[in-house]
Amino acid sequence: METYINKLRGLATAAAVAVQGKIEGGYSFTLSPAAIRGYSGLWTLYNATKKSSNQQATLWVFDKRQFFETGLNRQLLTAQNKQQISTMLANQVSQLSRLRHPAILQIIEPLEETRSEQLIFVTERIEYSLNDLLADPQQARELDELEIQEGLMQVAKGLQFLHSTAKLVHGNLEPSSILINAKSEWKIGGFGFATPIQTSRAAQQLEYHMPKYTQPAADFAAPEYVLDSRMVPASDVFALGCLAAAAHSPGGQSPMHAAASSNDLGAYRRLLAQLPKSSAISSLPGSLSAVAKQMLEPSYEQRMTLAQFQSSAYFDNVLSATLRYLAALIEQPGDQKIAFLRGLPQMLPKFPVRVLKRQVLPHLLKLLSDRNALRFLLPNIFHIVDKLNQAEFVSLALPELKPIFAANEQIQQQQPQAVVVIVSKLELLKGKMPTQDFQSMVMPMCYAALTSTVPQVQDSALQHVPAVAKSVSSSELREQLLPRLQHVYAKSSILSIKIRAIKCLHGILGLLDKQTIISKVMPLLKRTKSRDPAVVMAILDMYEEIGLSFLDRKQVAMEILPILWTQIIDDRLRLPQFERFSQVIAKLQSRVETEHRRHLEQVQRMDEQAGRFVPPIMEHAESTFAQQTGSTTDDDLFASLVNKNVPTNGSAAAMQNPLANLAPASNLALEWEWDAPAPGMQSRPDTNAHPKSTAARRVSVEVDFASNDGMSDTADDFGSFASFLPPPPPPSSSSLPASSKSVAAKPALQLNMAPKPVPQNNGSLKPRSYQPPKTTKFGATKVATSPLNLSQKHAGGKAADLGDFDPFA
């Protein structure tokens, strides 16, 4: 038995979960105080999303347990009151389920009751109720008169539908019953007290001692209901007049608020009689004051009808008429639709921004499916998009624009003017769209526009590409954008397009690297054959930036300045153009001169810091020779050679070897070699050599000017190295002494010679590689000098025909 009962309980629980899960399982929402969107009567509103379709919706929740069992309601509400409230709430949902009209709140999921005693149902997405809007001072200030006009018009149309089609009287039209969606459309809700139109039957009598939510709001109720318990269609007209006054009053109070708060019917009648003259009515804007007086007539038979209200002077203004025509534009013929869209840009600046965002933009986006009207639609849409932030654009406009971007190829072929409009708004779209979406959706359309066969499309793309090029990656810039610009410039036969292409290239120069400019841009400019002054001046601007910002001084001097000097003398240039050329050339020349002068100064400073004096060897040799000969000037030196004078402060041996006394402080290390026929061996032929060659040996010589060990040479079978030294003037035909003792006596110079067999040669003197700087035993550093070009010939191992050449100088 117990098992059977448990089974029944399980079935009941599963059934309850199934009923409960229809909304809770099919929608995602959060029931927390932070998630509350607003209130409408006893209902709490939460945002919800349908899981299967991602449809945005609003969840309505009434927690019976929390409302009935907490606070004063637990003491004041009787069981009958609780039942009345529950019935009223259920009646609201039931009536909504049967009604379908643009001005009536649309229900998506019917009423359910959860196990936790919550009544829930789902409707279209609602932002807030009019009561919440008017209760918030900041939002109330943002509520524009045009938005109130359209809201009252929508409510009037909804009431007219109720009266004429549904045969219902709303009976409780007040701010909490008006729901506003994201498009600022006013929707009628709160049908808890709606009754059929039956003039013969009285409605429930108003009782002031009853709780507030158990009967219609007294301050918006018509006099026939308050005084006679009658509910007629004109009762809704009276409530609509009170609603219009409340929309313009602080806190959203009805003009009948003071009298309805008490049960003094006498006070109610006196206020009702004075109502047309009250400040609440006379302070209403424009013609609404006169209209409200007719709507608030005490006698329902004399009140303005809903049809008269809709055609009243209150709605007689161009902005309101524009909104109404726009709402029905999708049904208009094509020519009328295009004529309206052409004139709309003149009207849009007159609309409040809130109305543009919430009312005008949604209607325009619905028309994007009409591709014939696309070129006229897009300027109006982009005018409003400019006033949206990125989050608003992504949520309101981007989903409807994506199909347009996706149909790039089709639009390029069929609607080129629409492409012109889109490309002209590249910078706007870049600022509003996420970067990834912009690069994947908009830039392909831009690239296609650059290669379009329609000049207007090309011109628009070239004009606006530089503004968005920064958002393009460097690789895409080189591989996608730059080749297309080069193609347009090289292939276009239209002068204006060619000039625009040059300016576009100029606009993206700062995004290109130096190598790309040298290899891609400079050759393109050099190949330009046009000498039209407009083209030449556009190229001049590019040369100026390239020369000042990207190339070095040598490239400027060799690549740019010659071209500019050639172009400046073109007779087609006018004086202002010539002066502009002169300015650019002067700038570039000044840069070359300044930087090259700075470079030379830097080189000179480096030479001085390194102790180098040009030429260091010759200067030291001349100084030493002058000390040995007593000659201090070039003339003295020349005279000593010509007149064969004996040196005054040097010996003959020193004269024969003037380099023997070179100071070790020179710190020079030299190494060279030359080929010379051995003395006495000219007649010995080398059987392995060419018939014309003679036997030769290579002598390697290392000179250490820093050594203090004296000078020595190593002789091979040719004899002493002294045989190869150039003789002092006059030249002697005899060989130098073979002995090296006199040479070894000179402590300032050391020569280390080692015989080294080499192929026979004709006796040419050749330099060998220099030794790198070394540290001597005295700690001095030997300075490596630049290679010397030593190439002299002599015969028979004699140095006589070397002339004045001194290999050590």
Side-chain angles (χ1 to χ4, degrees):
M1 184 67 178
E2 183 177 356
T3 303
Y4 178 73
I5 293 176
N6 291 336
K7 185 176 181 180
L8 290 178
R9 288 176 179 173
L11 292 174
T13 302
V17 171
V19 174
Q20 183 182 13
K22 189 174 182 180
I23 293 179
E24 295 180 345
Y27 291 82
S28 58
F29 53 84
T30 302
L31 298 181
S32 66
I36 296 175
R37 291 293 301 170
Y39 300 91
S40 177
L42 297 178
W43 297 99
T44 304
L45 279 56
Y46 299 89
N47 286 343
T49 303
K50 194 171 186 177
K51 296 179 180 179
S52 60
S53 61
N54 203 32
Q55 179 184 3
Q56 302 298 304
T58 295
L59 177 69
W60 297 59
V61 179
F62 172 69
D63 193 332
K64 294 167 61 176
R65 183 182 302 174
Q66 183 180 5
F67 183 79
F68 292 148
E69 303 299 331
T70 58
L72 295 177
N73 290 338
R74 183 176 184 179
Q75 301 175 0
L76 298 179
L77 296 178
T78 64
Q80 183 181 3
N81 296 147
K82 295 177 182 179
Q83 184 61 39
Q84 288 176 339
I85 293 175
S86 299
T87 302
M88 180 267 298
L89 295 176
N91 189 38
Q92 285 188 17
V93 184
S94 176
Q95 294 290 357
L96 284 175
S97 301
R98 298 188 303 107
L99 301 173
R100 289 291 184 271
H101 189 270
I104 295 178
L105 185 65
Q106 180 183 356
I107 192 170
I108 299 176
E109 300 291 347
L111 184 68
E112 296 179 6
E113 184 170 358
T114 67
R115 289 182 300 169
S116 57
E117 299 185 29
Q118 289 179 330
L119 299 178
I120 59 175
F121 70 101
V122 179
T123 67
E124 61 179 299
R125 174 60 65 89
I126 295 300
E127 293 294 315
Y128 35 67
S129 68
L130 181 60
N131 185 67
D132 292 337
L133 178 63
L134 296 176
D136 186 341
Q138 181 177 356
Q139 293 194 34
R141 286 194 298 268
E142 295 177 357
L143 189 62
D144 187 79
E145 182 62 29
L146 182 61
E147 189 175 351
I148 295 175
Q149 285 183 358
E150 291 305 303
L152 294 175
M153 174 64 77
Q154 292 162 359
V155 172
K157 290 181 178 179
L159 292 175
Q160 193 171 18
F161 166 78
L162 286 177
H163 298 165
S164 60
T165 303
K167 305 299 181 182
L168 288 175
V169 178
H170 187 278
N172 191 32
L173 194 67
E174 48 103 11
S176 293
S177 301
I178 305 301
L179 293 312
I180 304 175
N181 63 13
K183 300 177 183 178
S184 289
E185 295 174 339
W186 290 18
K187 306 279 187 174
I188 302 175
F191 286 89
F193 299 100
T195 58
I197 298 177
Q198 295 178 358
T199 57
S200 60
R201 187 176 69 85
Q204 176 185 354
Q205 184 177 1
L206 182 65
E207 299 180 10
Y208 288 96
H209 64 278
M210 292 288 291
K212 178 180 180 180
Y213 299 109
T214 60
Q215 55 188 352
D219 48 350
F220 288 87
E224 58 271 16
Y225 174 71
V226 175
L227 300 176
D228 301 330
S229 301
R230 299 186 63 182
M231 192 74 73
V232 295
S235 301
D236 288 340
V237 176
F238 186 91
L240 183 60
C242 292
L243 190 68
H248 293 86
S249 65
Q253 289 187 347
S254 168
M256 299 298 296
H257 173 74
S261 60
S262 66
N263 59 357
D264 187 352
L265 295 181
Y268 181 86
R269 290 188 177 93
R270 288 192 297 271
L271 180 60
L272 185 63
Q274 299 173 358
L275 188 59
K277 300 179 181 180
S278 66
S279 59
I281 303 301
S282 60
S283 61
L284 292 176
S287 57
L288 180 59
S289 177
V291 173
K293 291 178 182 179
Q294 299 180 51
M295 298 175 71
L296 298 175
E297 279 288 338
S299 173
Y300 66 85
E301 296 176 348
Q302 298 179 2
R303 285 179 200 144
M304 176 183 285
T305 64
L306 291 172
Q308 292 173 338
F309 174 69
Q310 295 177 55
S311 60
S312 65
Y314 177 57
F315 300 103
D316 189 12
N317 63 81
V318 65
L319 296 182
S320 182
T322 301
L323 286 177
R324 291 195 297 273
Y325 193 91
L326 180 60
L329 186 62
I330 195 170
E331 303 172 359
Q332 303 298 326
D335 55 343
Q336 296 183 17
K337 185 185 300 183
I338 291 176
F340 175 81
L341 292 174
R342 279 181 171 176
L344 186 59
Q346 301 175 3
M347 297 300 302
L348 291 179
K350 301 178 182 179
F351 281 94
V353 176
R354 181 184 173 96
V355 175
L356 288 176
K357 293 179 181 180
R358 302 171 70 94
Q359 297 188 47
V360 178
L361 182 61
H363 290 305
L364 294 175
L365 293 174
K366 288 180 180 179
L367 299 172
L368 286 175
S369 57
D370 186 357
R371 297 298 170 82
N372 294 326
L374 191 59
R375 57 178 292 195
F376 306 105
L377 266 173
L378 290 175
N380 296 290
I381 291 175
F382 287 136
H383 176 88
I384 303 175
V385 165
D386 190 31
K387 303 181 182 301
L388 304 177
N389 56 42
Q390 187 178 43
E392 292 173 335
F393 174 79
V394 171
S395 62
L396 299 178
L398 185 57
E400 304 297 333
L401 290 173
K402 282 183 178 181
I404 303 299
F405 300 142
N408 179 17
E409 184 176 353
Q410 181 182 1
I411 294 177
Q412 292 277 355
Q413 296 175 357
Q414 300 178 1
Q415 297 290 330
Q417 294 299 324
V419 179
V420 173
V421 177
I422 294 175
V423 172
S424 67
K425 298 298 181 180
L426 284 177
E427 191 170 4
L428 173 64
L429 292 172
K430 176 180 174 292
K432 303 296 182 181
M433 295 178 67
T435 302
Q436 184 176 0
D437 290 340
F438 179 79
Q439 293 181 351
S440 62
M441 297 179 187
V442 180
M443 287 309 297
M445 181 172 287
C446 178
Y447 295 147
L450 287 173
T451 56
S452 173
T453 57
V454 181
Q456 293 86 345
V457 175
Q458 276 189 324
D459 184 76
S460 181
L462 292 170
Q463 184 176 357
H464 296 92
V465 158
V468 299
K470 292 182 180 179
S471 64
V472 180
S473 63
S474 57
S475 60
E476 186 175 353
L477 195 68
R478 293 191 304 268
E479 299 170 4
Q480 297 289 340
L481 182 56
L482 184 58
R484 286 175 169 83
L485 292 178
Q486 291 174 306
H487 175 80
V488 174
Y489 177 72
K491 300 299 182 181
S492 179
S493 59
I494 303 175
L495 181 61
S496 61
I497 297 297
K498 189 177 289 289
I499 295 174
R500 186 75 74 182
I502 283 292
K503 292 182 177 179
C504 185
L505 280 170
H506 190 184
I508 67 170
L509 272 181
L511 306 176
L512 301 176
D513 58 89
K514 179 179 178 179
Q515 183 59 36
T516 302
I517 292 176
I518 294 175
S519 61
K520 301 293 184 181
V521 179
M522 288 291 291
L524 183 69
L525 300 181
K526 291 180 179 180
R527 289 195 300 266
T528 301
K529 297 180 180 179
S530 175
R531 287 297 177 262
D532 185 275
V535 176
V536 172
M537 297 307 295
I539 295 177
L540 175 65
D541 293 337
M542 289 195 67
Y543 276 139
E544 180 182 17
E545 182 170 351
I546 293 173
L548 293 177
S549 305
F550 296 96
L551 303 186
D552 57 37
R553 67 186 190 284
K554 294 183 179 179
Q555 291 169 327
V556 172
M558 299 174 64
E559 301 291 338
I560 296 182
L561 285 176
I563 297 176
L564 298 186
W565 277 115
T566 303
Q567 294 177 346
I568 194 174
I569 60 175
D570 195 322
D571 292 337
R572 284 170 289 189
L573 294 179
R574 296 294 179 263
L575 180 59
Q577 297 169 336
F578 173 82
E579 291 177 348
R580 170 67 177 149
F581 258 95
S582 300
Q583 292 175 359
V584 174
I585 291 175
K587 285 183 182 179
L588 297 179
Q589 287 189 161
S590 175
R591 184 203 166 194
V592 172
E593 293 172 1
T594 302
E595 293 186 4
H596 195 64
R597 180 180 295 106
R598 187 183 303 117
H599 168 72
L600 295 178
E601 292 173 351
Q602 183 179 7
V603 170
Q604 181 175 345
R605 286 195 300 269
M606 293 175 62
D607 289 343
E608 293 174 353
Q609 292 173 0
R612 293 183 57 194
F613 298 92
V614 181
I617 299 177
M618 297 302 297
E619 289 179 358
H620 192 86
E622 292 176 357
S623 175
T624 305
F625 187 79
Q627 294 176 2
Q628 294 172 345
T629 60
S631 300
T632 59
T633 64
D634 291 340
D635 294 338
D636 294 338
L637 293 175
F638 180 80
S640 65
L641 292 174
V642 172
N643 298 327
K644 302 179 183 180
N645 293 333
V646 179
T648 59
N649 58 348
S651 64
M655 194 63 185
Q656 292 179 0
N657 190 5
L659 299 179
N661 290 330
L662 287 177
S666 61
N667 294 334
L668 299 178
L670 303 180
E671 181 179 348
W672 68 88
E673 60 185 17
W674 69 84
D675 297 329
M681 294 184 64
Q682 287 98 339
S683 61
R684 291 188 301 176
D686 189 346
T687 58
N688 296 325
H690 190 273
K692 294 183 178 181
S693 65
T694 59
R697 298 293 300 274
R698 175 170 297 175
V699 180
S700 297
V701 181
E702 292 184 0
V703 182
D704 188 353
F705 292 98
S707 175
N708 198 31
D709 295 334
M711 176 178 174
S712 64
D713 61 354
T714 302
D716 58 2
D717 55 346
F718 300 160
S720 170
F721 173 72
S723 301
F724 299 95
L725 291 176
S732 174
S733 59
S734 62
S735 300
L736 294 175
S739 175
S740 61
K741 295 179 180 180
S742 61
V743 178
K746 302 295 185 280
L749 179 67
Q750 178 180 350
L751 299 177
N752 295 321
M753 301 168 50
K756 182 177 180 182
V758 296
Q760 297 182 9
N761 205 311
N762 59 357
S764 62
L765 185 64
K766 303 177 181 179
R768 285 187 60 184
S769 59
Y770 286 87
Q771 298 295 330
K774 298 179 181 179
T775 303
T776 66
K777 58 187 177 181
F778 298 106
T781 301
K782 302 178 181 180
V783 181
T785 61
S786 302
L788 299 176
N789 186 15
L790 304 178
S791 180
Q792 294 287 346
K793 294 183 180 180
H794 62 90
K798 306 284 185 174
D801 52 337
L802 290 178
D804 296 333
F805 175 73
D806 187 354
F808 296 101

